[in-house]
Amino acid sequence: PESEMTMRDVLVEELFGQSPYSGFTPIIDEPNLQGWNGLHPALERHVVREQPAVIVDVGVWHGQSTVTLARAQAKSRADGMVIAVDTFLGSPEHWTRTRSDVHQALNFRHGRPSFYDTFLSNIVLSGLADRVLPIAQTSENAALILKRVGVVPDLVHVDAAHEYEPALRDIETWWGILRPGGLLVGDDFLWPSVARAVVHFSDRCAISFDVDGPKWWLRKPADPA
């Protein structure tokens, strides 16, 4: 019955018409969660404290951070959902054969990265296909799509662009649809360009931020009572 549909069910119907996992067979035998900082304890800590119903993970690569967030969420939110946003085309710094391991992980086919299948495989093999919803889009387009369908995230984890202006746009974009009182968490504060974007946004909004290694976060002010 329609009344029993979860938010994830509604999104699947609205955006895809059927589950993105429908008919999919993993291309690997066990999870291959290659990534960077996706196991950082701050991620689970924030999810445990916030108990968010809707998490958006922006810049997911093979799904390491997505799996960490989804597993933490599953402990307290049976009805929770993690939306995984990525172009699944890699970042500019990945497109070089001097980084052979990363270049190989892009899994080029006919000149185009194809590691989306690796991501889906990792989610299925981790037993999280009923919780994680992938959106293969740019950061800005994904935010517009989610806004159109009425999704208001409680927690957003941004780990996409590393250049100053794109990183700042990511922060501004996801801050715009984040629930008042929600938490925006980011990665790569050790990149000077990312740190500059965080400081710029924080100063402009007169909101302090916290840092734990590469992770940083800001809380969106709650609406006035």
Side-chain angles (χ1 to χ4, degrees):
E2 187 173 341
S3 60
E4 296 179 5
M5 292 181 68
T6 65
M7 182 184 300
R8 184 183 178 285
D9 294 333
V10 172
L11 276 181
V12 166
E13 180 62 30
E14 172 71 19
L15 299 180
F16 306 114
Q18 64 177 354
S19 169
Y21 303 97
S22 179
F24 176 76
T25 301
I27 63 172
I28 51 181
D29 295 326
E30 57 184 29
N32 174 21
L33 294 168
Q34 176 198 32
W36 305 272
N37 307 324
L39 302 175
H40 194 284
L43 294 179
E44 180 174 4
R45 186 168 67 240
H46 286 310
V47 173
V48 169
R49 289 177 179 172
E50 303 295 316
Q51 297 191 13
V54 179
I55 299 172
V56 178
D57 192 13
V58 185
V60 302
W61 187 239
H62 286 186
Q64 187 184 80
S65 59
T66 304
V67 168
T68 296
L69 292 164
R71 284 176 172 165
Q73 184 192 54
K75 295 176 182 178
S76 59
R77 301 295 303 239
D79 60 340
M81 171 177 59
V82 179
I83 299 171
V85 173
D86 204 302
T87 61
F88 297 99
L89 296 174
S91 297
E93 64 268 18
H94 299 154
W95 281 62
T96 171
R97 297 191 68 187
T98 61
R99 299 184 62 182
S100 59
D101 59 331
V102 176
H103 190 272
Q104 183 177 5
L106 288 168
N107 195 20
F108 275 96
R109 294 180 188 169
H110 309 294
R112 185 180 187 277
S114 60
F115 64 92
Y116 179 63
D117 287 353
T118 302
F119 173 83
L120 288 186
S121 299
N122 284 330
I123 299 303
V124 170
L125 295 172
S126 297
L128 295 167
D130 61 346
R131 180 173 297 272
V132 175
L133 186 66
I135 296 185
Q137 264 290 358
T138 65
S139 176
E140 291 174 288
N141 282 352
L144 289 171
I145 291 167
L146 294 180
K147 184 176 181 180
R148 173 174 59 82
V149 296
V151 171
V152 181
D154 303 295
L155 188 150
V156 176
H157 175 239
V158 179
D159 183 15
H162 297 123
E163 300 76 25
Y164 166 70
E165 290 184 354
L168 180 59
R169 283 198 301 272
D170 281 342
I171 295 170
E172 293 170 338
T173 295
W174 292 100
W175 187 261
I177 72 168
L178 181 67
R179 173 183 60 80
L183 200 65
L184 181 68
V185 183
D187 193 39
D188 296 315
F189 194 79
L190 301 181
W191 285 61
S193 50
V194 174
R196 181 182 166 209
V198 175
V199 171
H200 180 136
F201 184 81
S202 172
D203 287 348
R204 191 176 68 197
C205 296
I207 298 172
S208 62
F209 63 90
D210 293 290
V211 178
D212 180 1
K215 299 296 181 186
W216 55 269
W217 56 94
L218 305 102
R219 185 173 299 280
K220 189 172 184 177
D223 284 335

